[in-house]
Amino acid sequence: MEKRSGGRPMAVLRPVVYDAGMLIAAERSQVKVWRAHRAYLTAGGVPQVPAPVVAQVWRDGARQARLAHLLKGCDVAVMDETAAREVGELLARAGTSDPVDGAVAVLAAWQEATIVTSDPDDIRQLLDRLGSRGKLVTVQQV
């Protein structure tokens, strides 16, 4: 734990990675999702969103103002060749084929992050293959 000025300990936030379900819920104006997002930002966190997740949900910027607003508070993580290869190898080991879920799992494992997901079973399978005990929170739980 870090110290604030004044001597009180400041909690260190665990990194958070959003999957497509979180972005869709925000776009649909789910109040609990927006409250959780704002609380994380207020506490000093910056949620991570793998670029493939944005590609999965982005369709028309003129009609997705809420999603655009959410993304302004996030760090959209690019997928370089190293990450892409790790995702591909993970999918092969897991016997699955969704590179978007793979990108979420790999990014979260690298950061030991909590994942906010609408698909906990598939994500857990991927995390298990990575040997990561990452924490999963479903969109319904936020």
Side-chain angles (χ1 to χ4, degrees), residues 79-132:
M79 183 186 290
D80 63 9
E81 182 179 352
T82 301
R85 287 179 184 214
E86 186 168 342
V87 168
E89 290 169 3
L90 171 61
L91 297 177
R93 285 193 312 271
T96 188
S97 62
D98 187 339
V100 177
D101 283 351
V104 169
V106 166
L107 179 62
W110 284 351
Q111 299 181 7
E112 297 181 10
T114 296
I115 301 171
V116 182
T117 181
S118 59
D119 196 5
D121 295 334
D122 288 348
I123 298 292
R124 171 56 59 209
Q125 176 187 1
L126 294 169
L127 290 176
D128 289 347
R129 291 292 179 166
L130 286 169
S132 173

Side-chain angles (χ1 to χ4, degrees), residues 2-130:
E2 298 176 21
K3 295 274 186 179
R4 290 184 195 176
S5 58
R8 284 201 239 132
M10 179 173 67
V12 177
L13 288 176
R14 183 176 185 146
V16 170
V17 174
Y18 291 165
D19 86 346
M22 177 65 172
L23 274 59
I24 292 166
E27 186 175 12
R28 292 179 178 163
S29 297
Q30 291 184 8
V31 174
K32 287 174 56 176
V33 164
W34 277 101
R35 282 186 188 143
H37 176 68
R38 285 189 197 108
Y40 191 69
L41 293 175
T42 300
V46 178
Q48 303 288 304
V49 181
V53 170
V54 177
Q56 188 175 40
V57 300
W58 192 264
R59 294 295 176 266
D60 181 357
R63 295 182 183 185
Q64 291 182 296
R66 287 183 294 273
L67 177 56
H69 181 70
L70 179 95
L71 289 171
K72 283 182 185 178
C74 298
D75 180 17
V76 176
V78 298
M79 183 186 290
D80 63 9
E81 182 179 352
T82 301
R85 287 179 184 214
E86 186 168 342
V87 168
E89 290 169 3
L90 171 61
L91 297 177
R93 285 193 312 271
T96 188
S97 62
D98 187 339
V100 177
D101 283 351
V104 169
V106 166
L107 179 62
W110 284 351
Q111 299 181 7
E112 297 181 10
T114 296
I115 301 171
V116 182
T117 181
S118 59
D119 196 5
D121 295 334
D122 288 348
I123 298 292
R124 171 56 59 209
Q125 176 187 1
L126 294 169
L127 290 176
D128 289 347
R129 291 292 179 166
L130 286 169

